[in-house]
């Protein structure tokens, strides 16, 4: 059995990928997007954190989460978000994927993949690469041609804060967009 090791750093900033069970296209539904938004907000009230960036695609999401000083417990936060989302989504009539009998006995539901991808942000260059990855992800997946065209992203907030130019990564109006390189070979993050 593989041994998973997490790197916990008090006050750390992390990049996460969470994927739906069987890559179900849950986040095409308004009810799923609302349940996720509510679940993140509820968790932040009980276990404070800041979300510098997020993108929601149909079957997965990426987010950067910054923990408060003296706190390294991102696992409780992600478990809370996933559990709260699952309750809200299913109670609103959302459907789950089939799961094995053993997963059912352990109390798992067919909404999320069991694990998540996590990466500790090491420095400002690493942060900027992951911010760019998040904001360009809908283009990478062929959902839109430009980052600004995807409404389920923090890109719009970043433009308002002047962290990005509105035309960053854009190919509208005859612009030629250069394919993005993110400086890592691991494409497991999807």
């Amino acid at each position: 059995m593989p041994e998973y090791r997490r790197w916990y750093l008090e006050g750390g900033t992390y990049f996460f990928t969470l994927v739906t069970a069987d890559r179900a296209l849950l986040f095409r539904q308004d009810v799923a997007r609302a349940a996720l938004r509510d679940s993140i907000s509820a968790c932040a009230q009980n276990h404070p954190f800041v979300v510098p960036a997020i993108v929601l695609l149909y079957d997965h999401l990426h987010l950067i989460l910054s923990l408060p000083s003296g706190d390294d417990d991102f696992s409780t936060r992600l478990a809370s978000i996933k559990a709260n989302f699952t309750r809200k989504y299913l109670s609103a009539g959302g459907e789950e994927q089939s799961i094995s009998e053993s997963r059912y006995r352990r109390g798992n539901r067919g909404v999320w993949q069991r694990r998540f991808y996590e990466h500790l942000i090491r420095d400002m260059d690493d942060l900027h690469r992951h911010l760019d990855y998040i904001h360009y992800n809908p283009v990478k997946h062929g959902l839109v041609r430009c980052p600004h065209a995807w409404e389920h992203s923090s890109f719009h907030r970043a433009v308002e804060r002047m962290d990005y130019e509105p035309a960053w990564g854009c190919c509208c109006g005859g612009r030629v967009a250069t394919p993005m390189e993110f400086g890592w070979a691991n494409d497991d993050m999807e």
Side-chain angles (χ1 to χ4, degrees), residues 80-165:
S80 171
I81 290 167
K82 288 169 75 172
N84 196 7
F85 170 83
T86 298
R87 278 190 301 277
K88 287 178 176 293
Y89 175 69
L90 294 177
S91 70
E95 295 182 20
E96 61 186 303
Q97 306 305 300
S98 60
I99 58 171
S100 68
E101 182 65 31
S102 65
R103 283 193 69 195
Y104 181 77
R105 280 194 307 268
R106 287 193 303 264
N108 296 131
R109 303 299 299 259
V111 176
W112 294 103
Q113 286 185 1
R114 281 188 55 215
R115 301 204 183 272
F116 55 84
Y117 175 86
E118 153 260 328
H119 168 81
L120 175 65
I121 301 294
R122 293 187 272 288
D123 57 29
M124 289 306 286
D125 287 339
D126 194 26
L127 175 63
H128 289 291
R129 275 193 307 277
H130 284 82
L131 289 168
D132 289 351
Y133 183 84
I134 283 174
H135 294 132
Y136 198 74
N137 206 248
V139 177
K140 174 189 175 237
H141 285 278
L143 298 169
V144 291
R145 295 187 61 217
C146 305
H148 68 81
W150 189 250
E151 65 180 304
H152 311 297
S153 168
S154 59
F155 179 73
H156 309 285
R157 283 193 336 244
V159 168
E160 288 173 9
R161 286 190 314 262
M162 301 201 304
D163 294 340
Y164 284 89
E165 292 293 323

Side-chain angles (χ1 to χ4, degrees), residues 174-187:
R175 289 186 196 93
V176 177
T178 306
M180 299 285 173
E181 296 288 330
F182 297 102
W184 56 70
N186 184 353
D187 224 7

